[in-house]
Amino acid sequence: MAKQIQHLDRVAIRFAGDSGDGMQLTGDRFASETAILGNDLSTLPNYPAEIRAPSGSLHGVSSFQVHFAAHDVLTPGDSPDVLVAMNPAALRANIADLPPNAEIIVNTDEFTPRNLEKVGYTSNPLENDSLDGYTVHRVPLTTATIAALADLDVSKKDAERAKNMFALGLLSWMYSRSTEGTVEFLKQKFAKKPKLAAANVAAFQAGWNYGETTEDFAVRYEVKPAQLAPGTYRSVNGNTALAYGLAAAGLRAHLPVFLGAYPITPASEILHELSAFKRFGVTTFQAEDEIAAVGSALGASYGGGLGVTSTSGPGLALKTETLGLAVMLELPLVVVNVQRAGPSTGLPTKTEQSDLNIALFGRHGEAPLAVIAARSPADCFYAAVEAARIALTYRMPVILLSDGYLANGSEPWLLPDPADLPDLQVEFATEPNGPDGKFLPYLHDPHTLARPWAVPGTPGLEHRVGGLEKADGTGAVSYVPADHDLMMRLRAARVEAIDVPDLEVEDPSGDARVLVLGWGSTYGPIGAACRKLRERGVSIAQAHLRHIAPMPKNVGAVLAGYDRVVIPEMNLGQLAHVVRERYLVDTVSYNKVNGQPFTSAELETVLEEVVRNA
């Protein structure tokens, strides 16, 4: 039967199933083939915190959403156009997110009375009218997969586990994705288990053939490649991009990179990625706890390397004392905080922006440092390079804020020309800089206010370090009140001396009265919402902060140019508090703390109301 081909501008697909159904792998493979095809894309993995929640339960549902289009994409999509539900729990957990007329592909084999009862269904939704507003495809994924592998030497259990590849094959056919890359991927993934490799390839191909031959799928879809800037691209998530940025910074600085880290969700992947970069001068150390991790990183900086530590909110809380020591020692240190929902253990696999306060103020005493934030998965690379630039140039700790949304989400990344990256090379102190051949370890540069960086063991440059207050110049321990006052003010001035670019404002019409100010991962949803408003003739301006400490020097002037300033945050108003206090601007806060990122639709509604009432 000839299949109709329909061209689409954009699609959002959500793969959902039990945490053991391989939805993350399935979604990642679909996204990878989509990137190779040339579509712009954005992904949103969503999985439970438990290692293995009860099978078939709502708590055990894992999902992966991919939004791809023939144009540039800013978010993973507000709601999926297609839901692949591997069991009743996946359907129940995600049905509320579907728009009318969405397509649902369900694994009918799992809709048993026992599985329905587990998630609170009193009747089978496939047999009543509850799904009448959707296009439902009933596919026996499990039995079809087992039948397709009947002639292969694999157990029934292994055959059942390959049903995610059957689903991937079906969706790959449905949206005209290539098969060669996934087939090769499966062969490599299971290279040491050729029987499993053959089974998964067979299941994938069977899913493709099912779409080609069944009458239930009469339409096939195509989404043309996006018109992206020319160059070499790869799909990358935020943690991977950040790891690459740290490695690149070390190469551009001609310094060894040392990562001291303790595994913690959702930052652990940075440690995993950097552990493979030994040939690029990167050393990784899995410490016994968070305090040892940051202490080892600070020690590496004292020894003449680029010290880095990565963590999430609970770990940042444990590192604060050593951060104060780094401020006192005036040494470079990059602290990566991949934020998650808190407080305490909170929601380990859910996203939030609620660590801004601890980044800015979470140390005892006056201990200022630089704080910057990445805005997208690919931008994590450039944010890491920028964090290293500030740390090395100004001899201070820098907190780089990412979050779970950026860390796990992915998008195409245009590989940069290494020559375009900033030169981060450092000049170490090699000879005494004071009178009578003395070395003054706290003699500050008049422009950067950075002190000399002397590698231990350099003859004639022996000096003392420690947490007690220093005297300017000599670095000797000082209890003199005037010395303490001077050093406190110098540390604050050094942060303000950091050279950061002006805040850029996107205001196409030039007559907007409302400015949306964001930071971090709200960039995509804010941008998508503003784009939709402008398409409807609503004038609105957008600006996004990368540097939060210090802020760009023109922020006050920018804010003063608008009648209202809206600050959407995945917290209860932390940036808004800072902006109100510093610039005396009565901002409009819009806050969300449910562990999920903003949707562009909700921001569009909120922003339109503010514009209407401005």
Side-chain angles (χ1 to χ4, degrees):
M1 179 180 67
K3 303 279 187 173
Q4 176 187 350
I5 296 180
Q6 182 177 339
H7 293 275
L8 300 176
D9 182 60
R10 53 155 298 279
V11 180
I13 299 173
R14 183 179 297 176
F15 299 90
D18 200 66
S19 56
D21 285 338
M23 293 296 93
Q24 303 303 317
L25 174 64
T26 305
D28 185 67
R29 280 312 310 162
F30 189 93
S32 295
E33 293 304 321
T34 296
I36 291 172
L37 189 63
N39 299 126
D40 197 11
L41 64 92
S42 179
T43 70
L44 179 62
N46 191 2
Y47 47 89
E50 292 79 9
I51 295 175
R52 189 69 173 90
S55 177
S57 68
L58 289 172
H59 293 296
V61 174
S62 174
S63 68
F64 189 106
Q65 183 162 309
V66 54
H67 180 204
F68 58 103
H71 53 76
D72 63 312
V73 166
L74 295 175
T75 74
D78 290 352
S79 55
D81 305 294
V82 181
L83 171 66
V84 179
M86 303 295 282
N87 59 17
L91 178 64
R92 183 148 197 152
N94 293 281
I95 190 68
D97 294 338
L98 299 184
N101 302 315
E103 290 193 79
I104 305 175
I105 300 172
V106 295
N107 179 14
T108 56
D109 292 323
E110 292 294 320
F111 279 70
T112 63
R114 184 170 181 270
N115 285 343
L116 292 168
E117 183 181 358
K118 279 184 181 180
V119 295
Y121 278 125
T122 56
S123 63
N124 192 336
L126 303 183
E127 298 173 356
N128 57 37
D129 60 359
S130 63
L131 300 179
D132 284 355
Y134 310 102
T135 300
V136 181
H137 302 279
R138 297 166 173 81
V139 182
L141 288 173
T142 305
T143 55
T145 303
I146 292 173
L149 306 185
D151 295 334
L152 298 180
D153 184 18
V154 292
S155 67
K156 182 181 178 182
K157 181 179 180 181
D158 285 336
E160 289 179 353
R161 293 180 66 182
K163 62 182 180 290
N164 65 321
M165 288 298 106
F166 189 102
L168 178 59
L170 173 58
L171 269 293
S172 297
W173 171 86
M174 194 172 173
Y175 288 93
S176 306
R177 306 294 96 176
S178 174
T179 61
E180 290 81 3
T182 296
V183 169
E184 185 59 32
F185 168 82
L186 292 171
K187 289 180 179 178
Q188 292 182 9
K189 179 176 177 62
F190 297 105
K192 296 182 179 180
K193 299 179 180 180
K195 292 181 180 179
L196 289 182
N200 280 274
V201 169
F204 174 72
Q205 293 172 334
W208 175 280
N209 294 335
Y210 183 89
E212 184 71 25
T213 57
T214 185
E215 295 184 4
D216 191 29
F217 293 89
V219 180
R220 195 176 180 191
Y221 304 98
E222 288 186 359
V223 179
K224 292 183 178 180
Q227 297 299 311
L228 302 175
T232 302
Y233 287 81
R234 62 154 292 173
S235 180
V236 68
N237 66 32
N239 275 345
T240 300
L242 205 152
Y244 289 173
L246 293 171
L251 292 173
R252 294 296 291 168
H254 304 284
L255 292 176
V257 174
F258 178 94
L259 175 73
Y262 181 77
I264 185 171
T265 302
S268 298
E269 190 180 2
I270 298 171
L271 173 62
H272 302 161
E273 288 285 348
L274 283 176
S275 67
F277 293 164
K278 293 179 182 178
R279 64 188 184 281
F280 297 122
V282 177
T283 299
T284 53
F285 168 59
Q286 181 173 320
E288 67 269 27
D289 56 42
E290 295 283 1
I291 298 172
V294 66
S296 66
L298 183 57
S301 290
Y302 175 66
L306 174 56
V308 182
T309 187
S310 57
T311 190
S312 190
L316 184 62
L318 292 167
K319 295 179 189 293
T320 55
E321 183 179 8
T322 304
L323 282 177
L325 177 61
V327 171
M328 180 66 75
L329 298 184
E330 300 185 26
L331 287 171
L333 178 68
V334 175
V335 181
V336 178
N337 178 26
V338 186
Q339 301 166 95
R340 71 190 206 190
S344 187
T345 312
L347 303 175
T349 61
K350 309 304 178 185
T351 194
E352 213 162 81
Q353 287 183 299
S354 54
D355 291 346
L356 182 60
N357 278 345
I358 191 174
L360 290 171
F361 312 117
R363 291 159 298 282
H364 68 279
E366 295 283 346
L369 46 70
V371 179
I372 69 173
R375 70 183 190 183
S376 73
D379 184 58
C380 286
F381 174 88
Y382 299 100
V385 173
E386 174 66 358
R389 180 190 74 85
I390 295 173
L392 293 170
T393 303
Y394 298 91
R395 311 283 199 271
M396 69 170 62
V398 179
I399 294 180
L400 166 54
L401 296 173
S402 175
D403 61 43
Y405 176 40
L406 299 183
N408 297 317
S410 61
E411 65 180 351
W413 172 42
L414 176 61
L415 300 185
D417 185 338
D420 293 336
L421 298 178
D423 182 1
L424 304 182
Q425 192 162 357
V426 175
E427 290 188 9
F428 288 103
T430 57
E431 56 186 26
N433 58 354
D436 303 323
K438 293 183 179 180
F439 176 56
L440 300 178
Y442 278 77
L443 182 65
H444 294 91
D445 181 274
H447 302 293
T448 66
L449 298 181
R451 75 173 183 87
W453 191 5
V455 177
T458 305
L461 304 189
E462 297 83 0
H463 60 286
R464 176 184 298 171
V465 297
L468 293 172
E469 184 58 281
K470 306 289 182 287
D472 186 33
T474 64
V477 173
S478 175
Y479 292 93
V480 177
D483 286 347
H484 182 56
D485 183 272
L486 173 64
M487 296 303 287
M488 295 284 257
R489 296 179 188 278
L490 270 174
R491 288 188 280 266
R494 191 164 69 257
V495 174
E496 294 303 319
I498 296 172
D499 181 23
V500 302
D502 281 348
L503 179 66
E504 295 183 1
V505 180
E506 184 180 339
D507 185 0
S509 67
D511 59 2
R513 298 171 58 197
V514 173
L515 171 73
V516 191
L517 180 66
W519 68 277
S521 64
T522 58
Y523 174 79
I526 290 173
C530 291
R531 176 187 292 176
K532 291 178 182 178
L533 288 171
R534 291 170 188 145
E535 289 173 352
R536 296 196 285 110
V538 178
S539 293
I540 193 162
Q542 175 190 359
H544 211 76
L545 286 168
R546 158 162 287 173
H547 299 86
I548 304 176
M551 287 191 182
K553 291 180 172 55
N554 69 328
V555 169
V558 167
L559 299 180
Y562 294 90
D563 295 343
R564 302 306 302 269
V565 177
V566 185
I567 303 182
E569 298 180 80
M570 290 187 291
N571 57 46
L572 296 181
Q574 296 183 15
L575 177 65
H577 294 161
V578 172
V579 170
R580 287 170 179 162
E581 183 272 334
R582 182 162 185 173
Y583 300 104
L584 303 180
V585 173
D586 185 19
T587 61
V588 178
S589 287
Y590 181 67
N591 307 113
K592 182 174 182 177
V593 284
N594 66 356
Q596 297 297 320
F598 287 114
T599 65
S600 61
E602 66 178 308
L603 290 181
E604 183 181 357
T605 301
V606 170
L607 297 177
E608 185 172 20
E609 182 178 355
V610 175
V611 171
R612 189 186 306 117
N613 297 324

